[in-house]
Amino acid sequence: METQHENAMIGWLKQRIQGLRTTLRIMRYNTVGYIGFLAIVAIVLLSYIGPYFIELDTDTKIDKIYNTPSSEFWLGTDHQGRDIFSQIVHGGKDVIAVGLAAGLISTIIGVTFGTLSGFIGGWTDTIIVAITDFVLTIPRFPLLVVLAAILTFDSNIYLGVILGLLNWPSLLRAVRSQALSLKQRDFIAAARALDLGTAHIVFREIIPNMMSYIIISFTLAMTGAIYALVGLVLLGLAPFSGTNWGIMLSLAWTRGAIFFKDSIWYIMSPVVAIAILQLALITMNRSMELIFNPRLRTEA
Amino acid sequence: MATTAVTRPSAEAAPTLRQRLRAFFGNYVVRKILKALITTWAVTTFTFFLIRLLPGNPIEQFVNQLIVTYGIPYNEAQDQASALFAIDFDRPIGLQYLDYVRNLLRGDMGMSILSPGTPVTDIIKTWLPWTIFSVGTGLILSFISGVVLGLLMAYRRDSLFDHILTLYASIMTSVPNYLIAIIVIVFFGVQLEWFPIAEMRGVLSPGIEPGLSWTFIKDAIFHASVPVIVYTITGMGGWMLTMKSSTIGVLEEDYVTISRAKGLKDSRILTSYVGRNASLPIFTQLAIAIGFVVGGSVIIESLFQYRGIGFTLLQSVQRRDYTLMQGVFLMLTFSVIFANLLADILYSWIDPRIRLEDQG
């Protein structure tokens, strides 16, 4: 009995590993996308596991201000002689969390209402499209700047929610036009003929077929949110506590990146970290497309 | 012959009022203008409630600030706020709203809180031209170079030229533009000292008055040059990628194959046949981008201390000058609405199919 159970376990594990291997193999079809994916994995590991191994350096060391990289300080030191590398390790979590929260919220809004709008049509469609057009008209970053004066963005998650609530319109449009074209397909007509109900058709038939669009929209929403978050922090309008890449960037900028040549490591570290994160999110899409849209695989 | 001439008008004319109305509202341009008007109304209403009714709204904050800082009694503080915002607080909210709309229609956006006696519209008029000048130049340069390069990329698809430029465009579209601005300042300004950043701050050097003089023009260009370069190199990427994919679509059309078969010169096919058709959809995007010219510069203007409208918005928020903030925000939104309307009309004019397509 026990060996049988063990065998089943091993079999299940083997299947999982096999599945994972296939996924990775598919992702490797697109080299650029695969590199993006690996970069994301590296950034997430560094930001979420790294802090357990590397302590945040908070001691002011007056004799070690703006040191260049060495074996002791991998990326040099900041304006108070603190290790920059440890700040990079500790500074990714918040940025990724805000991006994820905002991305999730706008994806849920965009996908739900976009599919409903495209699929149901009629008045529902007209109203949803009108609201979308309206929100799309308001320049988003200026609105955030104005909101910062009225609301106080005192926590990162709160800011993430606000960013998510503003970021969905372009996503909704893309999803809606996809839903409109899928609606015409035979398998939807078949599902309708079987009287499967709107909920079933939307969540079981249409959304799975839009998975690649949804994933791409999600990463785009995430990069949009990170752009806005870092921008707001840089302007001094967003939460300014703890350590994150945006705050590092803002501190480096205000503490004399323009005056001291030595400060280049301090300012460039967060710049490069944010740039790599954004670039990796976008390039990773190319591999994600391959996983969720098998039709593309033959081309690659 | 004579009889037909007489009977024809009676048979065709006299469309009922309903038919006339339907024809009027069925007209593409009329519908787009109506939509723009409705959006304008919605945005002004949204801003009214945002500034006035939200808990901790600017007017409340301003009144509290007067009471706390200057010890002014509540009534007087409210009188001051009412004078600045051009709103009478004793009236019901509905009438306040009507006043607000009436003032806006006359182009009155109230007085600045921090520079008393200066109308908000005057402040906007002072700083807006600088943004239009710098961001506008950047947009034109990035659009032209992006379209030309995108066309060439599609034409020489999968060449080294295409690969390098695609990489460049991907980087520019995914890395935030203000990071590129920081890189430019830190590397070329601070490290290599190619340009003096400290002197380039602001829109003009001290002591230079706007006018039609050579020193003024030279100084304006000097101060705008680096921001314009940043707008250009960051904005190019998006245009390159759009133009490339649009051109690839056109290259597959039959008329391109035919003109090749006819033996037309490559350069002629590229410019007169492919380029013209591929750039059609991009012109609408350009019109939309023009709307965002005004607002798309808050961060970069503050990095360069370039005092345009984006920098003014940021300062009004930092200094709690709420009437100015409201005015700038409304102005930014109106320009987007207007640009969208322009894009819709332009597109229907370029591509007549659009006008007929969604008439229903």
Side-chain angles (χ1 to χ4, degrees), chain B residues 2 61 162 164 170 353:
Chain B
Q61 285 186 21
D162 175 31
I164 291 173
S170 315
R353 279 170 297 182

Side-chain angles (χ1 to χ4, degrees), chain B residues 71-92:
Chain B
I72 297 172
Y74 181 76
N75 283 343
E76 269 178 49
Q78 223 178 20
D79 283 349
Q80 272 205 31
S82 118
L84 286 168
F85 281 86
I87 288 265
D88 188 351
F89 294 106
D90 296 333
R91 302 176 68 177

Side-chain angles (χ1 to χ4, degrees), chain B residues 168-179:
Chain B
Y168 168 81
S170 315
I171 291 175
M172 285 304 168
T173 42
S174 41
V175 175
N177 55 359
Y178 50 80
L179 291 187

